[in-house]
Amino acid sequence: MVSSYGMSDAIGPVYLKERPGSEMPTSIDVEVVKPLKDAYARMKFVLKKVFEIYMTLNTMARLCYM
């Protein structure tokens, strides 16, 4: 997406039909990694919250059957 459609603010709206110069692949790699790191951090947060809810419900369920 970054190299074909310019889906990056840093690189801009470009279409790279041929292999770019030596600096461009590094820029593309950096721009590709950013959304992946953001998605990873969000997913980690969501899973942590889901686990906390699960543990709360599990504790509540155990208390009900005592």
Side-chain angles (χ1 to χ4, degrees):
M1 283 188 340
V2 173
S3 62
S4 295
Y5 303 109
M7 298 286 187
S8 164
D9 292 334
I11 294 177
V14 296
Y15 175 75
L16 302 173
K17 188 174 184 178
E18 299 175 13
R19 294 196 118 204
S22 62
E23 188 177 304
M24 188 60 82
T26 304
S27 300
I28 291 171
D29 289 344
V30 168
E31 291 301 309
V32 168
V33 169
K34 283 180 187 179
L36 293 176
K37 284 185 177 182
D38 291 343
Y40 177 79
R42 280 192 312 260
M43 196 64 219
K44 192 173 177 181
F45 175 78
V46 168
L47 288 174
K48 184 178 177 182
K49 291 297 177 187
V50 167
F51 181 74
E52 289 172 2
I53 293 168
Y54 168 78
M55 292 303 291
T56 301
L57 292 173
N58 190 19
T59 303
M60 291 171 64
R62 278 200 234 153
L63 291 174
C64 290
Y65 291 107
M66 289 186 135

